[in-house]
Amino acid sequence: MPTDPFSAMRQSIIDGAPDTASSLAQQALAAGTAPLDAINNGYVPGMHDVGEQFARGQMYLPDMMASAEAMRAAMSILDPELRKLGTERPMAGTVILGTTKGDIHEIGKILVGTLLTAHGFLVHDLGVDIAGEKFAAKARELNADIIGVSALLTTTMRNQKGVIEALEKSGLRSQVKIMVGGAPVTRRWADEIGADGYAPNAMRAVALARELMQQKQPAALPLHI
Ligand code: HCB
């Protein structure tokens, strides 16, 4: 087991060890480490290693599932600490999140939701495998400002476009901004499908959401976070 805490966190994800992952998260908080540092420098790099090992055929699906379980265990400790920060801020806007139809990856989306909440957004997470019509219906129900659509597979990326089409069909497109993300998603793809923005990670998703709110209601929010 590595002695550097971030390396140990990373290794706990690679090993698919939920107990180790959560106890390292507890130790980090007790030592005064910022939860976001633990996520960005420890756990997320571990998930990236897992993805690479899987792509090289050095890891199999059950291993990847165990790693996801370890990531969830760490997040269950860190998430409440991050969310606490949100209650100290004015309401920044309403965001609906979901992973697109055919796709069950959720870790990145959950992280985006946690950080948006930490920065004062009201977040409604629809979950995974969500059709465009469901995003649109929830946007109408909650009078949402932004929809954030996640896709982790090259085969499900195109369903992000389906969300935009569903929003157009329901007459809500001019009122609701759409941001897209997920490992295979790029700015170019976002432009191609007519999304309002793309974010490569959760921190950038927060900055983007604030920019989109600024576009909706100029002068309502300062841009710094
Ligand atoms: Co999955 N999987 N997987 N997987 N998986 C990937 C995504 C591959 C890249 C692995 C690889 O081959 N290298 C690959 C996709 C290849 C491709 O399409 N080109 C892959 C595959 C192939 C598959 C299956 C098809 C495997 C199979 O069954 N044979 C299967 C698909 C099931 C399905 O969805 N229908 C599958 C299943 C799984 C699980 C269930 C084992 C598990 C998911 C568990 C869960 O989420 N509950 C899993 C995992 C964990 C991964 C990897 C290893 C990690 C994903 C992850 O959590 N990353 C991933 C490898 C990788 O991505 N490098 C691999 C960490 C988070 C923090 O990053 O990119 O998701 P993120 O999110 C970021 C960022 O993108 C952005 O902010 C987030 C936070 O910083 N963001 C947004 C995300 N959404 C946003 C939305 C916004 O609006 C704005 C920003």
Side-chain angles (χ1 to χ4, degrees):
M1 172 65 68
T3 47
D4 156 48
F6 292 142
S7 304
M9 289 170 194
R10 182 183 191 139
Q11 194 60 44
S12 71
I13 299 298
I14 296 168
D15 294 343
D19 291 348
T20 310
S22 66
S23 87
L24 287 167
Q26 273 158 347
Q27 287 167 32
L29 291 181
T33 304
L36 200 54
D37 284 346
I39 291 170
N40 287 339
N41 301 324
Y43 298 110
V44 167
M47 285 314 288
H48 287 147
D49 289 350
V50 168
E52 275 167 26
Q53 290 191 27
F54 179 77
R56 287 198 298 265
Q58 294 165 343
M59 253 198 185
Y60 299 98
L61 196 56
D63 306 315
M64 206 155 62
M65 288 169 85
S67 296
E69 204 45 58
M71 185 77 189
R72 266 203 295 265
M75 284 301 293
S76 73
I77 306 292
L78 302 171
D79 178 285
E81 294 304 311
L82 281 164
R83 280 174 191 271
K84 269 185 208 159
L85 303 169
T87 56
E88 294 156 14
R89 294 172 186 249
M91 220 289 260
T94 300
V95 182
I96 292 171
L97 289 180
T99 304
T100 194
K101 184 104 197 106
D103 197 326
I104 60 164
H105 294 85
E106 63 179 354
I107 294 166
K109 165 186 65 65
I110 290 173
L111 202 48
V112 170
T114 300
L115 285 211
L116 285 171
T117 307
H119 285 86
F121 284 87
L122 186 66
V123 175
H124 184 92
D125 190 340
L126 287 170
V128 297
D129 189 20
I130 305 297
E133 295 70 26
K134 213 164 166 185
F135 278 99
K138 196 46 98 177
R140 185 181 296 285
E141 182 192 326
L142 299 183
N143 193 18
D145 298 300
I146 300 170
I147 290 179
V149 194
S150 192
L152 266 286
L153 300 171
T154 42
T155 48
T156 58
M157 268 167 71
R158 68 175 77 106
N159 297 334
Q160 292 182 321
K161 187 164 194 265
V163 178
I164 297 175
E165 286 165 354
L167 218 59
E168 280 163 356
K169 238 188 219 164
S170 64
L172 292 170
R173 183 66 186 102
S174 60
Q175 297 155 48
V176 184
K177 299 283 183 188
I178 299 201
M179 61 180 188
V180 291
V185 178
T186 58
R187 185 176 304 279
R188 192 168 166 190
W189 170 252
D191 291 344
E192 198 178 313
I193 63 173
D196 298 300
Y198 151 76
N201 58 50
M203 272 318 285
R204 296 273 288 277
V206 173
L208 173 61
R210 293 182 68 90
E211 275 170 41
L212 296 176
M213 289 306 295
Q214 192 86 20
Q215 288 170 20
K216 285 194 76 177
Q217 21 176 269
L221 281 170
L223 265 179
H224 61 87
I225 54 169

